[in-house]
Amino acid sequence: MQSRTAASMRAIPLLLSLSVAAAFCAAPVSARAAQEPPSVAARVTPVVGGLDHPWSMAFLPEGGVLITERPGNLRLLRTPGGLSQPLTGVPKVAAQGQGGLLDVALSPDFATDRYVYLSYAESDGSKSGTVVGRGRLADDASGLQDFRVLFRQEPKLSSGLHFGSRLVFDGKGYLFISLGENNQRPTAQDLGKLQGKVVRLKADGTVPPDNPFVGRAGARPEIWSYGHRNPQGMALNPWSGELWENEHGPRGGDEINLVQPGKNYGWPLATYGINYSGLAIPEAKGETVPGTEQPLYWWPKSPAISGMAFYDADRFPAWQKSVFIGALLNQNLIRLTLDGNRVVAQEQLLVDRKSRIRDVRQGPDGYVYVLTDASPGELLRLAPAESGG
């Protein structure tokens, strides 16, 4: 089992004060110590404002972008055309605490089936849990038709905290869903519950027969991996095809994981964080625990990481081989430079805007797009400053 080490980088001023070098986040010893990244400050263009706590976005192949708002609205932004009224056919959500309308993803066959997938919090009147469903986007894009629930997190245990959740299709037709542990720590290790898990389903919501826990007594067959706390970002690595996930630690210990079938990612047995009270996590047995996986990368001081997107577009070579991650508490956008699975440099963008970054995506035009978690929130378009984009 690998141990984790920490290093640091000296802060340096960068163009427009939009980017600063940041403290290097501790990582497994197999990762090379980070070096100061090249000065690639961001040029920012506001795209649209007036959003109500936007949470996620998905770009449509015919143009435009779908944006979820946590209180329960799905909006369509067209350029030109502007921001739509809330689309019809969206399910009722439990907009309490961290819950509400969360992620949005398009079917891999969207061009023919027009399915839009949503994750959201659902309440039974007492407790809440994460739900995933899909509906067809109307030809005129005015709403979702025939919306149907495909998956429910069971049992419902949340009082408004730690829902997750991100949706990722893997290129083979399988849907991955990340699920928080509802602030009920021991459930992340309980294979009979769907809290603190990444699950894998077919596109229609049925369970693939080769999932790692299919046929195991006392285990939910949907589970792909377990031992997660509150996953806030998830994306498919375009170079390796591997699934990457990031999650909130408690006080310290935010981390990035390479998600593999049947693996245990440790929470709450293994953690680099402590309780918000300053005391140790009661169930914790150390930073490394036999039988649990080490993260690819972790932060000793939590930035409260959020959405995650790899950059593999040709438009901006300076950003290639990077992964972008939003930060809610630190109110910035993190760019990690990669060498394979190793993080070799870290940079903070959008520092001077002091905005909670909820989601980040690579657009079809090669720009980077981010959502700010506020009311009013914004959709911003980013390019390297020297590109003139």
Side-chain angles (χ1 to χ4, degrees):
M1 186 62 62
Q2 294 174 328
S3 62
R4 310 171 191 179
T5 61
S8 63
M9 295 193 307
R10 173 177 53 88
I12 56 175
L14 292 178
L15 180 62
L16 300 180
S17 299
L18 288 173
S19 170
V20 297
F24 175 55
C25 306
V29 292
S30 60
R32 195 167 68 221
Q35 304 296 319
E36 290 180 356
S39 298
V40 191
R43 185 182 302 275
V44 182
T45 303
V47 178
V48 69
L51 299 167
D52 189 357
H53 291 287
W55 210 91
S56 183
M57 57 185 141
F59 290 90
L60 296 175
E62 64 260 33
V65 57
L66 293 170
I67 300 173
T68 61
E69 295 177 314
R70 192 159 49 82
N73 296 323
L74 179 64
R75 312 283 290 275
L76 173 61
L77 175 66
R78 293 193 187 278
T79 52
L83 190 65
S84 75
Q85 293 296 311
L87 273 60
T88 61
V90 175
K92 180 181 178 181
V93 307
Q96 60 180 87
Q98 298 168 355
L101 184 58
L102 304 174
D103 209 5
V104 56
L106 302 184
S107 163
D109 299 317
F110 179 83
T112 55
D113 64 29
R114 296 188 66 79
Y115 277 132
V116 174
Y117 288 73
L118 299 175
S119 70
Y120 58 97
E122 178 188 70
S123 175
D124 63 6
S126 175
K127 300 290 186 180
S128 301
T130 302
V131 173
V132 176
R134 71 180 184 186
R136 287 187 176 88
L137 184 66
D139 290 341
D140 64 359
S142 62
L144 299 183
Q145 300 171 340
D146 305 318
F147 190 88
R148 183 169 70 90
V149 170
L150 302 178
F151 168 85
R152 281 187 168 92
Q153 184 184 40
E154 296 174 341
K156 286 182 168 62
L157 295 176
S158 179
S159 297
L161 298 174
H162 298 189
F163 294 94
S165 63
R166 292 291 175 181
L167 307 175
V168 172
F169 282 97
D170 68 351
K172 300 176 183 179
Y174 295 110
L175 172 64
F176 290 88
I177 307 167
S178 65
L179 300 166
E181 37 75 294
N182 297 164
N183 202 33
Q184 304 292 321
R185 294 186 300 267
T187 63
Q189 293 294 318
D190 186 345
L191 293 176
K193 295 182 174 63
L194 292 173
Q195 279 72 22
K197 311 299 191 297
V198 171
V199 304
R200 174 182 179 250
L201 304 174
K202 295 181 181 180
D204 63 1
T206 57
V207 176
D210 60 343
N211 271 8
F213 297 103
V214 168
R216 177 168 167 176
R220 296 292 302 239
E222 303 96 327
I223 296 172
W224 186 252
S225 64
Y226 65 108
H228 301 286
R229 185 174 182 269
N230 189 23
Q232 292 290 293
M234 192 164 65
L236 207 65
N237 183 315
W239 307 290
S240 68
E242 296 170 318
L243 184 66
W244 287 34
E245 170 263 1
N246 72 47
E247 61 188 73
H248 287 181
R251 186 172 167 182
D254 287 13
E255 62 187 42
I256 300 173
N257 293 302
L258 175 60
V259 179
Q260 297 177 311
K263 299 293 187 179
N264 180 0
Y265 290 85
W267 178 254
L269 306 179
T271 179
Y272 285 95
I274 59 175
N275 230 325
Y276 296 111
S277 65
L279 300 176
I281 301 297
E283 299 87 355
K285 297 181 179 180
E287 296 176 341
T288 60
V289 174
T292 68
E293 301 301 306
Q294 290 286 282
L296 291 179
Y297 193 74
W298 66 281
W299 285 260
K301 183 178 180 181
S302 294
I305 51 181
S306 57
M308 176 167 60
F310 290 90
Y311 190 85
D312 66 342
D314 295 329
R315 184 162 200 148
F316 302 125
W319 280 353
Q320 289 175 357
K321 297 296 182 181
S322 296
V323 61
F324 289 87
I325 297 175
L328 298 165
L329 178 63
N330 282 10
Q331 299 183 335
N332 57 38
L333 179 68
I334 300 166
R335 182 174 77 91
L336 301 177
T337 303
L338 304 176
D339 179 2
N341 284 344
R342 297 180 298 171
V343 175
V344 297
Q346 180 185 207
E347 177 178 35
Q348 293 183 12
L349 306 171
L350 307 183
V351 173
D352 284 359
R353 295 187 75 91
K354 294 182 172 57
S355 296
R356 287 165 50 90
I357 305 301
R358 172 59 73 179
D359 198 17
V360 54
R361 305 283 171 141
Q362 177 183 296
D365 55 5
Y367 287 89
V368 171
Y369 290 82
V370 301
L371 290 171
T372 65
D373 182 16
S375 186
E378 292 182 288
L379 174 65
L380 305 175
R381 188 183 75 192
L382 276 62
E386 68 274 19
S387 71

